[in-house]
Amino acid sequence: MASFRFPFSFSQPSVPKPPRSTSSSSRLSISAVAVTVTFGGAAIAASRNQSVFSSHRSSPLPWGSIALADSSSGSVVVEPKTGFSFPATIGDSMRLLGVGLRRKSVLGLKNIDVYAFGMYADCDDVKKLIGEKYANLPASELRGNKAFIDDLMEADIKMTIRLQIVFGKLSIRSVRSAFKDSVGNRLKKFGGLDNDELLQSFTSLFKDEYKIPRSSTIDMTQEPGHVLNVAIEGNQVGSVKSKLLCRSILDLYIGEEPFDKNARDDFLNNVASIAVDDKAAHEIQK
């Protein structure tokens, strides 16, 4: 396994606050609109503070960065508006490159924090893509290069989007309905109109019997060969092989109209950091 000693940087936040309990009046208000809440539809940019790296605890570090040398350090990244944390690594080579918050406006009156999310990628796969096509492109240009971002979403790179449920009243039926709208719109955008069967094969993975209370996790992982695996609370519930579906889901988080623009920017900045580190390593070897 490669050793990564460059800092993955997340935008500097204010000190995160722990999740607060909901007052009785707020619970009544939320219950009244719970049936209308889904986290899909049009992308809504979150107005929030940024995430912060921490080691074991959620105390802020300068510029929200920490050097990650291996997966045994116990480092986490905190989404400060919710207080939810994400492991900095998954497995041997999957690194957390961005965290964000999905919010939804209900009836134009209230913004609901629906879920926090973390975006992971296999650094070796990212390096391979950069080396094959973008080795001569400076990191400053890589961040905003549309062709590179499109290639990143099209490439056969292992990536995981991990959702942590914040809104306690969210049902699996709402998840299914929301993905039907949001992913369905992306399938039309990238593949045309005739993708109802593909969309159904994905949304049918979210069966009514699955419970997703607050802090539950949903992992959507693009495996080699553009196979999308879905796991709920660590238990795999099914998979769909489709490059179009994988691209459509990634577009929700790192596309031109992401759910959280700040999280997308963090992700691309950290991808650029991978490029810088890789180029530096090659220079040392010369």
Side-chain angles (χ1 to χ4, degrees):
M1 181 186 71
S3 178
F4 301 96
R5 299 204 177 263
F6 55 87
F8 285 151
S9 297
F10 284 60
S11 305
Q12 188 177 23
S14 57
V15 177
K17 297 179 180 180
R20 294 179 299 176
S21 60
T22 307
S23 66
S24 58
S25 60
S26 296
R27 285 196 297 269
L28 290 173
S29 174
I30 291 175
S31 298
V33 300
V35 296
T36 71
V37 174
T38 61
F39 58 79
I44 299 174
S47 174
R48 65 177 181 88
N49 294 323
Q50 298 303 297
S51 56
V52 56
F53 266 120
S54 64
S55 180
H56 301 287
R57 296 186 178 184
S58 58
S59 56
L61 294 173
W63 297 105
S65 64
I66 188 172
L68 300 183
D70 55 60
S71 60
S72 63
S73 63
S75 301
V76 297
V77 179
V78 174
E79 197 297 303
K81 195 167 184 65
T82 61
F84 281 43
S85 62
F86 294 83
T89 60
I90 296 178
D92 291 336
S93 59
M94 294 283 282
R95 297 295 189 267
L96 182 61
L97 302 181
V99 296
L101 175 63
R102 176 64 173 125
R103 307 190 81 190
K104 182 68 178 177
S105 176
V106 179
L107 304 177
L109 301 175
K110 185 178 182 67
N111 285 324
I112 300 295
D113 294 342
V114 184
Y115 63 78
F117 62 88
M119 299 178 288
Y120 296 79
D122 187 303
C123 291
D124 293 334
D125 287 348
V126 173
K127 285 183 178 183
K128 183 179 178 181
L129 172 64
I130 294 169
E132 287 176 348
K133 296 187 66 174
Y134 300 96
N136 297 322
L137 195 67
S140 58
E141 295 182 23
L142 195 64
R143 296 181 183 94
N145 187 287
K146 186 179 185 303
F148 172 71
I149 297 170
D150 288 342
D151 282 345
L152 190 63
M153 290 192 289
E154 290 273 355
D156 195 9
I157 292 174
K158 186 172 182 179
M159 295 189 190
T160 293
I161 307 296
R162 171 167 291 183
L163 317 182
Q164 285 199 64
I165 305 303
V166 176
F167 183 62
K169 299 290 185 179
L170 191 67
S171 68
I172 199 71
R173 183 175 300 178
S174 293
V175 173
R176 188 169 60 242
S177 175
F179 276 136
K180 183 176 181 180
D181 290 337
S182 59
V183 177
N185 288 336
R186 264 57 174 199
L187 289 175
K188 291 177 182 177
K189 174 181 176 181
F190 298 121
L193 298 176
D194 189 20
N195 291 292
D196 290 345
E197 185 176 346
L198 176 58
L199 180 61
Q200 174 62 23
S201 67
F202 170 62
T203 57
S204 65
L205 300 179
F206 300 90
K207 296 178 173 59
D208 286 343
E209 58 262 33
Y210 301 139
K211 305 301 179 184
I212 49 170
R214 180 178 167 87
S215 80
S216 299
T217 61
I218 298 175
D219 286 352
M220 296 180 291
T221 300
Q222 176 180 269
E223 300 283 0
H226 295 283
V227 175
L228 181 75
N229 283 329
V230 177
I232 298 177
E233 284 294 278
N235 300 309
Q236 185 170 335
V237 299
S239 62
V240 180
K241 180 180 175 62
S242 170
K243 183 177 181 179
L244 174 60
L245 178 61
C246 289
R247 160 111 197 218
S248 297
I249 289 173
L250 290 175
D251 189 71
L252 298 174
Y253 301 93
I254 60 175
E256 292 181 351
E257 298 181 40
F259 285 156
D260 188 326
K261 185 179 183 300
N262 291 322
R264 174 186 185 268
D265 290 345
D266 279 346
F267 181 90
L268 295 177
N269 285 337
N270 286 322
V271 166
S273 295
I274 295 173
V276 170
D277 178 75
D278 194 40
K279 291 172 184 177
H282 280 91
E283 288 296 324
I284 292 173
Q285 293 171 4
K286 288 182 179 179

